[in-house]
Amino acid sequence: MSSEVGDAERALHRRMGLACAAATAAGLPGRFRVWEHGGLLAVLATDPALGFLSTVSGVTPETLPALDGLLAEPGWDPTVLTTGDEVPEGLVRAEDRLLAVRRLGEPPAADPGVTEGDVVDVLLAGYEVTGVVAAFVAAEHRVPAMRRFLLVEGGTPIAAAGMTVHGDVAVLGGAATLPAHRGRGAQPRLLRHRLRVAADAGCVLAVATARAGSVSAANLGRAGFRRYRRSAWTKP
């Protein structure tokens, strides 16, 4: 694993720590835990609707021996994410995920259509989610450390995105556009704006995740992100 990927995964892990703490404080169902074990980065969410959050990352040749002990802990069935050639013993492949990383240099120009404000309503409408998932998204994007951005057209917010800063790494997460306004470049604009804010905050690295082959993944590539495919592994 490159140092760039390692820094990115640790920043994502800290972001998940904020999100899970907020979910616990909001009284969401199930149990949340974010911890390290033998250099591995682990996340637990026991409610079935949030099972996609349960992951193990930070897998390297040095940390791989600790994986068996971690997976033996009762009460969870995580997805193990690897970015190198590691093959976890006894696991089978699942749908890969994408990690995108960009070194920050000269920041893009400011976007006059982007403002800061409460993004929750726009995000939930853009994601088209309800129930526990919606409650988790709302809790995550109301933590004090979250920077919240709205793209406004004609006085109406049409897209939203979030960002947190962890040391000198910015995690760009939580981006959605209202269905009626998709395909018009809203997310690239919010992406460029957050890169500027991150650079102004002294960050040297920006990190995001996306589904492989998605529009979001394509937008990240066009914005200069190096995209790493994360091999996903689960218990048979």
Side-chain angles (χ1 to χ4, degrees), residues 111-190:
D111 191 320
V114 179
T115 185
E116 295 199 42
D118 188 352
V119 300
V120 169
D121 288 346
V122 177
L123 284 179
L124 297 184
Y127 285 143
E128 300 180 274
V129 293
T130 59
V132 176
V133 175
F136 183 85
V137 171
E140 178 184 13
H141 288 87
R142 285 178 174 143
V143 299
M146 182 69 66
R147 297 288 299 271
R148 294 168 279 263
F149 305 98
L150 292 166
L151 177 60
V152 179
E153 287 190 355
T156 301
I158 65 167
M163 184 185 86
T164 50
V165 173
H166 308 273
D168 59 1
V169 182
V171 174
L172 314 183
T177 303
L178 297 180
H181 298 276
R182 290 174 184 163
R184 304 178 189 176
Q187 286 307 318
R189 290 175 64 183
L190 282 167

Side-chain angles (χ1 to χ4, degrees), residues 10-91:
R10 283 186 289 273
L12 288 169
H13 193 247
R14 289 193 286 270
R15 165 69 172 267
M16 189 54 63
L18 292 176
C20 288
T24 299
L28 268 64
R31 183 166 59 92
F32 299 89
R33 184 184 174 196
V34 179
W35 76 106
E36 295 190 30
H37 174 88
L40 295 168
L41 310 173
V43 179
L44 165 70
T46 60
D47 188 275
L50 299 174
F52 62 92
L53 298 175
S54 291
T55 58
V56 176
S57 58
V59 179
T60 66
E62 293 73 30
T63 62
L64 187 60
L67 185 59
D68 285 344
L70 184 59
L71 295 180
E73 292 202 19
W76 75 319
D77 187 15
T79 298
V80 177
L81 302 172
T82 66
T83 54
D85 298 325
E86 297 78 18
V87 178
E89 186 176 350
L91 302 183

